[in-house]
Amino acid sequence: MSDAHPHVAVAEQFDDAEQQHEAAGLGMWIFLATEIMFFGGLFASYTIYRNLYPAGFLAGSGLLNAKIGAFNTVVLITSSLTMAMAVHSAQLGRRKALIGFLFLTLLLGLTFVGVKLYFEWYHDYLTHVAPGFGFHPEGADLARIHALHAPLSAVELFMCFYFLMTGVHALHMVVGVGILTVLIVKAWRGRITRESHNIVEMAGLYWHFVDIIWIFLFPLLYLLGVTR
Amino acid sequence: MATATVTAIPTDTGIETRNYLNADYGLKSWLLTTDHKRIAWLYLIAITFFFLVGAIAALLIRIDLLVPQGLIVTPETYNKLFTMHGIIMVFLFLIPSIPAVFGNFLIPMMIGARDVAFPKLNLLSWYVFVTGGMFVMYAIAAGGVDTGWTFYTPLSTSYLNTHVMAAAAGVFIAGFSSILTGLNFIVTIHKMRAPGMTWFRMPLFLWSMYATSVMQVLGTPVLAITLFLVAIERMFHVGIFDPALGGDPLLFQHLFWFYSHPAVYIMILPSMGVVSELIAAFSRKRIFGYEFVAFSSVAIAAISFLVWGHHMFVSGESVYAGVVFSALSMAVAIPSAIKVFNWTATLYKGSISFDAPMLYALGFIGLFTMGGLTGIFLATLAVDQYVHDTYFVVAHFHYIMVGGAIMGYMGALHYWWPKMTGRLYPDRWARVAAFIIFIGFNLTFLPQFVLGYLGMPRRYAIYPAQFQSLNVLSTAGASILGVGYVIPLIYFIWSLRYGPVAGPNPFRAKGLEWTTPSPPPPHNFEQTPIVTEEAYAYGSGVPHSV
Ligand SMILES: [Cu+2]
C-alpha cells in the first residue's frame, strides 16, 4: 500500500492503490482518445463540405443564433470551473463542498442542454430549418441564403452537420449529467472519501473533454458569418 | 517430437487440482465471470458459432458458382450470401478472433498478472459483442442484407430495402466491444507487468497485441461514426453521402477505409505475434532480431492509418492522392518483410520439430508471403486499374485473412489448447488436418488469382462459361478446406474428456504461461512471478532433447 492512499479498496487484480489509480487514469485517457477519433470523423467531414460549399456553410451559419451559442459557451466554461472545484474538494475530503460543486455542475449542464433543446433545436424545427423535417427556410432566412447565392442543398448539409455535431455533443452532456447524478448520490452517502476521490477525478476528465469539444464546435458552427 | 515426451497417462485420470475451470460450476459462474481465462472461453464459443454461420454462407456461395448461371440461389440471394459471409467473418470472427480469445487468455499470464486491468469491463465487452452479433443474426433471419460488407453509399442509404439498419447497428455495437478490449489490453500491458518484465523482455505476441490494441482504439471509433452517419442518412433522407443531395459518396469510402484498412492489420498482426511464439518454441531459439520484429509491429500499426486510399484508386480519388497512397501502401511491405526474414532466420540452425502448431506457423509464413506480395501488385496504380474488383483481389485478401490470420489462429489454438484445457489433442490427427487445410486453402484460392487476372469480376452471381473449370476447382478446394476445419472441431471436443493430461509445459516452451499448472489456477500464479531473463531464453534450463 502506498502512503498516498491509505484506506482505498484495492481490486484483487492490482497490487496496490497506486497501480489502481494509474490504471484508471490511463484507461480514461485512452477512452478520451477514442472520443477524439469519434468526433474527428465528424470534424473531418465538416471540413470537407465547408471547403466544397463555402457559401452554403456561410448562409447556414447565419441561421444559427450566435448569442444563444455564446451564452451556452459561458455556461459550459463555468461548469468546467465548478467541476474542477468539485475534484479539488474531493481531494481534500470536503464532502459538503464536493456535493455543492457537483450539484452546481449538474445544474449548469442541464441548463446547457435545456437551452439547446428549446431555444435552438425546437426553434429550428418551427422555422423549418431542421434537416430531414421538411427543410425549407422562409422569409429573412431565405433572403439571406439567396443574397449569398448559396445552394439550398448545401445549406441543408450545413444544418445537418450542425445537428449531428451538437447532437452527439449533447448526448455526451446527458451521459455526463448521469455520471454527476451517480457521484452526487455516492457523495451524499459518504462513499467518496479523500482516499477514493479517483472516481471524481475521472468524471472531471470526461466533463472537461466534453467542454473542449464545444469550444471547437462553437466557432466552427456559429461564428462563420455572424448576422444576429 | 515434443509431445512424445509426455508419458502415457491413463486417459481416465482427471485433473484434480483446483483450477479456473473447476473453481466454480454452473452457467451463472460462467456468464458472470470476471476471470480473463473464462471470458476467453466465452469469446471462443461465440466466435466459433459465428465462424460456422459465415462458413455456411461461403459454402453456399461456392456451390452456387459451380455453374455459370448459378446452381442453387437467385442473384438476389447470392448478394445476401456474400454480404453475410463478409460481415460475419470480418466483424464477428476475424476481428475478435485472436485478440479476444488468446489476448484475453494470455496477456495477463504472459506478463505475470492476476487478471486484466479492468475485469468487469472485460466481461461487458463480451456482452456488447454478443449483442452486436445478435443484431447481425437478426438481419439474416429477417431476410438478409445485400450491401456487401462495405456498406457503400448511396447503395446502402438510398437504394436498398433490405435490413441494412440491423446489420449496420450490429457492426456498430460490436465495434465498441473491440474498442473496450483494446483499451483494456493497453492499460494491462502498461500497468500490470510483473517485476522484471521489461518491455524488451515481453514475448513478441504482446508487442503484436499492443500494436493491435492501439489500432482498435483509434480506428474503430471512425467506423462507428461512419455507420452512424449512414443510419442518419437512411432514417432522415438527408444528403450526407448522397450526390443527389449535395453529399459526397467518396467521403464515405474515405471514412470507411480509414478504419477498414487498419482492420486488416487488426486481423493479421495478432497472428504474426502467434507465429513469433510458435517459431521460437519449435525451433528452440530466441527470435532472430527480436527488437526489429517488435518494432515492425508498431511500424505496421502506424503506417496502416496512412494507406486507406489504395481501396479507391478507381473510384474517383485524385491521381496525386493515388500516387501517395500507392507509395505508402508499398511501405507496409518493409516491416512485413522484416518479420518474414527474421522468422526464417530464426529457423536457420534451429532444432525444429514439426508439431501441429509449427505446421500452421510455417503455413502462415508461406501463405502470408503470397498474400503480401500480391498486395504489392494491387498497390501498384497501373496494375490495380485492371484487377480492381476482380477475383484477384478476393484471392489476395483471402491469402492474408485465411492463409494468414486463420492459420495463425489455428496455430494458437493448437499451441495453447493444452494450457487452456489441461488436455492434449491427438497430434497425428492435428498434423493431418493442418495439411488438409493447407491443400484445401490453396486449391480454393490459387485458381481465383487466375480468374481475377483473366478478368472475372467479384460480387457477380453469374459468370461467362470460360471461367467454369477454374471455379469448379475452387469449389473443390473449398470442400477440402471445410473438411480440414471440421476435423479439429471434432478432436478438440474429444480431447476435453478423453485427451491425455498435458502437464504444465507439454511443448517445453519458454514463457510465464508455461510455468503455471494446466489449466492454470484462478489467479494464474501461486505468487507473482519475478522475471529475470529475456523472452525465448532457450538453451537455459530447458533440456534440448529427451
Ligand atoms: Cu487496404
Side-chain angles (χ1 to χ4, degrees):
Chain A
M1 287 258 169
S2 92
D3 293 329
H5 314 274
H7 312 295
V8 193
V10 177
E12 60 179 8
Q13 71 272 23
F14 294 113
D15 291 332
D16 53 39
E18 195 182 333
Q19 190 188 27
Q20 176 166 284
H21 180 82
E22 283 179 4
L26 180 61
M28 194 65 205
W29 279 107
I30 296 170
F31 172 72
L32 296 183
T34 73
E35 288 277 30
I36 288 174
M37 295 307 288
F38 187 79
F39 279 100
L42 284 174
F43 279 108
S45 307
Y46 166 93
T47 310
I48 285 162
Y49 285 131
R50 187 176 158 186
N51 265 311
L52 219 51
Y53 305 116
F57 270 47
L58 202 61
S61 181
L63 297 175
L64 307 182
N65 190 327
K67 283 187 194 117
I68 299 181
F71 171 77
N72 256 348
T73 308
V74 173
V75 169
L76 264 199
I77 292 175
T78 314
S79 83
S80 254
L81 177 70
T82 56
M83 188 72 217
M85 295 305 287
V87 173
H88 187 65
S89 310
Q91 283 166 342
L92 296 177
R94 292 181 184 153
R95 184 168 152 264
K96 274 185 189 160
L98 170 64
I99 295 173
F101 282 122
L102 285 176
F103 192 68
L104 265 179
T105 313
L106 179 84
L107 277 185
L108 288 165
L110 285 174
T111 307
F112 176 93
V113 177
V115 166
K116 190 113 217 83
L117 214 64
Y118 185 75
F119 292 103
E120 296 199 83
W121 290 342
Y122 186 57
H123 177 264
D124 294 337
Y125 172 74
L126 292 181
T127 53
H128 308 294
V129 294
F133 291 92
F135 181 81
H136 59 99
E138 293 153 346
D141 288 341
L142 193 62
R144 202 162 30 242
I145 292 168
H146 283 322
L148 284 163
H149 303 290
L152 216 53
S153 64
V155 180
E156 185 173 7
L157 211 51
F158 172 86
M159 288 308 283
C160 206
F161 274 93
Y162 163 71
F163 269 85
L164 277 168
M165 295 167 100
T166 57
V168 173
H169 175 264
L171 200 68
H172 279 77
M173 294 290 298
V174 171
V175 170
V177 164
I179 294 171
L180 286 171
T181 312
V182 172
L183 287 185
I184 290 170
V185 171
K186 278 196 164 203
W188 191 268
R189 292 182 181 165
R191 298 271 169 79
I192 300 176
T193 60
R194 188 173 168 181
E195 290 75 29
S196 62
H197 70 268
N198 210 2
I199 182 172
V200 185
E201 219 176 295
M202 296 305 130
L205 278 176
Y206 175 82
W207 192 263
H208 295 316
F209 170 81
V210 178
D211 283 5
I212 290 167
I213 292 287
W214 178 259
I215 300 299
F216 282 94
L217 287 180
F218 176 60
L220 281 179
L221 296 170
Y222 289 81
L223 302 183
L224 291 187
V226 185
T227 51
R228 62 176 171 188
Chain B
M1 206 53 49
T3 46
T5 61
V6 178
T7 44
I9 297 162
T11 51
D12 57 339
T13 302
I15 292 161
E16 302 293 342
T17 51
R18 185 168 182 273
N19 59 60
Y20 79 101
L21 292 172
N22 65 16
D24 206 349
Y25 290 100
L27 195 62
K28 209 174 135 194
S29 77
W30 281 91
L31 292 179
L32 295 178
T33 184
T34 52
D35 185 334
H36 65 101
K37 301 182 288 301
R38 286 188 163 212
I39 293 171
W41 275 100
L42 294 179
Y43 273 111
L44 180 62
I45 293 163
I47 69 167
T48 304
F49 169 74
F50 291 130
F51 179 79
L52 291 176
V53 179
I56 290 169
L59 200 66
L60 293 175
I61 291 169
R62 282 314 326 163
I63 293 173
D64 195 55
L65 290 175
L66 274 171
V67 297
Q69 291 307 310
L71 189 60
I72 48 173
V73 295
T74 60
E76 288 74 26
T77 310
Y78 181 87
N79 291 349
K80 289 175 181 170
L81 281 175
F82 77 68
T83 300
M84 296 322 298
H85 171 67
I87 290 177
I88 292 172
M89 286 306 202
V90 171
F91 296 112
L92 302 181
F93 177 71
L94 283 165
I95 297 275
S97 61
I98 293 180
V101 177
F102 296 102
N104 255 318
F105 195 90
L106 292 168
I107 289 176
M109 298 233 280
M110 283 183 163
I111 60 174
R114 287 183 287 279
D115 207 321
V116 294
F118 310 115
K120 284 181 197 155
L121 188 71
N122 203 14
L123 180 64
L124 177 70
S125 306
W126 183 75
Y127 278 101
V128 171
F129 172 68
V130 171
T131 307
M134 287 303 121
F135 270 84
V136 175
M137 291 301 121
Y138 165 78
I140 302 178
V145 56
D146 52 355
T147 55
W149 78 279
T150 51
F151 294 102
Y152 266 22
T153 56
L155 178 69
S156 60
T157 48
S158 308
Y159 292 97
L160 297 177
N161 288 318
T162 49
H163 296 271
V164 180
M165 290 296 273
V171 173
F172 178 87
I173 294 167
F176 285 97
S177 159
S178 190
I179 293 173
L180 295 177
T181 301
L183 185 154
N184 220 332
F185 288 173
I186 295 176
V187 177
T188 305
I189 293 175
H190 265 283
K191 298 294 177 193
M192 312 288 284
R193 282 173 287 130
M197 179 57 86
T198 61
W199 282 87
F200 288 97
R201 280 179 181 167
M202 291 198 315
L204 287 164
F205 178 70
L206 295 180
W207 279 91
S208 289
M209 284 311 310
Y210 186 84
T212 306
S213 300
V214 169
M215 287 189 288
Q216 285 176 298
V217 158
L218 295 181
T220 321
V222 179
L223 176 73
I225 191 69
T226 310
L227 292 173
F228 178 69
L229 292 177
V230 166
I232 294 287
E233 175 163 331
R234 234 185 120 84
M235 277 193 293
F236 297 102
H237 305 289
V238 288
I240 306 169
F241 302 122
D242 186 350
L245 296 171
D248 183 0
L250 212 58
L251 175 63
F252 170 85
Q253 297 183 24
H254 278 291
L255 292 170
F256 179 82
W257 289 113
F258 181 84
Y259 165 77
S260 293
H261 184 81
V264 173
Y265 297 101
I266 294 174
M267 300 178 226
I268 194 80
L269 257 184
S271 269
M272 292 170 156
V274 168
V275 169
S276 295
E277 299 302 309
L278 299 182
I279 295 288
F282 294 100
S283 312
R284 316 215 61 75
K285 273 178 73 187
R286 178 172 160 82
I287 287 284
F288 182 82
Y290 171 99
E291 288 83 0
F292 283 90
V293 179
F295 280 119
S296 65
S297 294
V298 180
I300 287 175
I303 302 173
S304 77
F305 281 110
L306 307 171
V307 301
W308 75 88
H310 62 217
H311 296 270
M312 300 156 62
F313 286 158
V314 299
S315 40
E317 168 184 79
S318 87
V319 179
Y320 304 104
V323 169
V324 173
F325 280 124
S326 170
L328 284 167
S329 302
M330 290 189 192
V332 184
I334 298 167
S336 307
I338 286 174
K339 283 184 189 286
V340 171
F341 292 146
N342 282 300
W343 291 325
T344 317
T346 308
L347 294 172
Y348 180 68
K349 286 193 173 172
S351 31
I352 299 171
S353 50
F354 294 99
D355 294 45
M358 184 59 158
L359 294 182
Y360 284 108
L362 295 174
F364 174 101
I365 295 177
L367 299 179
F368 170 74
T369 303
M370 275 195 67
L373 290 177
T374 50
I376 296 181
F377 291 26
L378 291 168
T380 311
L381 278 169
V383 177
D384 189 65
Q385 289 284 327
Y386 291 96
V387 292
H388 183 89
D389 261 352
T390 69
Y391 268 78
F392 192 89
V393 178
V394 177
H396 154 70
F397 72 73
H398 279 89
Y399 265 79
I400 299 290
M401 290 179 184
V402 185
I406 298 188
M407 283 301 227
Y409 175 74
M410 293 299 284
L413 211 47
H414 285 82
Y415 184 53
W416 284 293
W417 183 262
K419 179 54 62 183
M420 294 173 80
T421 64
R423 303 273 184 182
L424 292 170
Y425 51 85
D427 193 64
R428 187 179 301 259
W429 275 105
R431 275 178 283 163
V432 169
F435 267 112
I436 294 177
I437 288 175
F438 186 81
I439 290 164
F441 171 80
N442 281 298
L443 199 56
T444 310
F445 293 105
L446 263 179
Q448 295 189 9
F449 275 125
V450 183
L451 282 169
Y453 186 75
L454 294 175
M456 179 170 162
R458 63 192 286 205
R459 292 184 171 138
Y460 281 79
I462 56 172
Y463 57 85
Q466 75 255 32
F467 295 138
Q468 190 174 7
S469 52
L470 284 168
N471 269 295
V472 170
L473 207 59
S474 180
T475 302
S479 36
I480 296 173
L481 187 60
V483 171
Y485 286 136
V486 169
I487 297 172
L489 196 65
I490 295 168
Y491 63 67
F492 276 138
I493 293 172
W494 174 89
S495 77
L496 285 176
R497 199 178 170 96
Y498 305 106
V501 173
N505 191 359
F507 301 115
R508 297 173 304 127
K510 284 288 188 175
L512 288 178
E513 78 269 29
W514 302 109
T515 63
T516 173
S518 309
H523 282 118
N524 299 344
F525 302 95
E526 298 305 328
Q527 50 195 322
T528 306
I530 294 168
V531 182
T532 53
E533 56 181 19
E534 57 182 11
Y536 320 117
Y538 288 100
S540 67
V542 177
H544 248 267
S545 56
V546 178

